[in-house]
Amino acid sequence: PVGGRLFDKAAASRPGHPLLRLRYNNWLSMLGMPAGLLLWGWAAHKCAHLALVFVGLFLVGGSISVYLPAMMGYLSCLKQHQASTAAAGQNALVFVVSGALVLAGSAITTSIGIGWYCTIMAVLHAACGIAAQLQIHRLRQATKKEKQQAALQLAAADLAACSSSGAGRAASTGAV
């Protein structure tokens, strides 16, 4: 529910390109997922209290629940006629990548430990989140420039219309 509400809030505040609707969800996921992975991984690696492991897992799960509903909404906006196919493709990709990470992760954690494995995953997630946030920021800047240019063109057209009607009135009254 939280991820969908944030997506809807962003859509209501700035309608337009669907990518702009992901900005809140991306920020929360970009901050929560690496923090949760680091806490979970290093707490498990150092055999810390089980509560720390659960807090890390809670952050990971919360980040997923914030981001995935927004991603489903984004895909539905992009592929309105094929929303179910896009959602099925995303779910299939999530399951395939998850399976690959489980297989590779078990071998990697045996050799380097769960702490370092989660650190690598946190860095990768943060890098992807930063790249996505840069795309969202660039699109926001481009949208602002387009709105400013449209406002300037409208103002120029209004000014031209006012000056042409004023010149016409001056010529008809004989005052030049």
Side-chain angles (χ1 to χ4, degrees):
V2 175
R5 286 187 185 142
L6 287 173
F7 184 77
D8 292 342
K9 180 182 175 186
S13 68
R14 298 220 180 182
H17 198 281
L19 185 63
L20 295 177
R21 300 175 183 186
L22 292 174
R23 66 179 187 262
Y24 301 132
N25 303 76
N26 190 56
W27 271 111
L28 288 174
S29 178
M30 192 172 60
L31 297 174
M33 180 67 82
L37 282 169
L38 291 171
L39 182 61
W40 167 41
W42 285 105
H45 188 82
K46 298 291 185 181
C47 296
H49 196 276
L50 195 56
L52 288 174
V53 175
F54 286 148
V55 170
L57 287 172
F58 175 79
L59 288 172
V60 168
S63 296
I64 291 170
S65 70
V66 165
Y67 197 73
L68 278 182
M71 186 53 70
M72 290 292 191
Y74 174 67
L75 288 174
S76 296
C77 289
L78 285 182
K79 303 285 186 187
Q80 292 180 0
H81 298 292
Q82 302 149 341
S84 61
T85 305
Q90 185 212 8
N91 282 330
L93 183 64
V94 165
F95 289 128
V96 168
V97 170
S98 297
L101 287 175
V102 166
L103 289 174
S106 62
I108 294 171
T109 54
T110 302
S111 62
I112 66 172
I114 186 80
W116 288 111
Y117 177 71
C118 286
T119 300
I120 293 168
M121 297 307 291
V123 167
L124 289 174
H125 186 84
C128 290
I130 289 169
Q133 199 61 38
L134 287 173
Q135 284 296 108
I136 292 168
H137 179 72
R138 286 182 188 150
L139 185 60
R140 285 182 69 198
Q141 294 303 317
T143 304
K144 284 180 185 177
K145 286 180 183 177
E146 287 174 6
K147 286 181 182 179
Q148 289 173 348
Q149 288 174 350
L152 288 174
Q153 288 174 350
L154 184 61
D158 286 346
L159 183 61
C162 289
S163 63
S164 66
S165 65
R169 275 187 269 141
S172 66
T173 58
V176 177

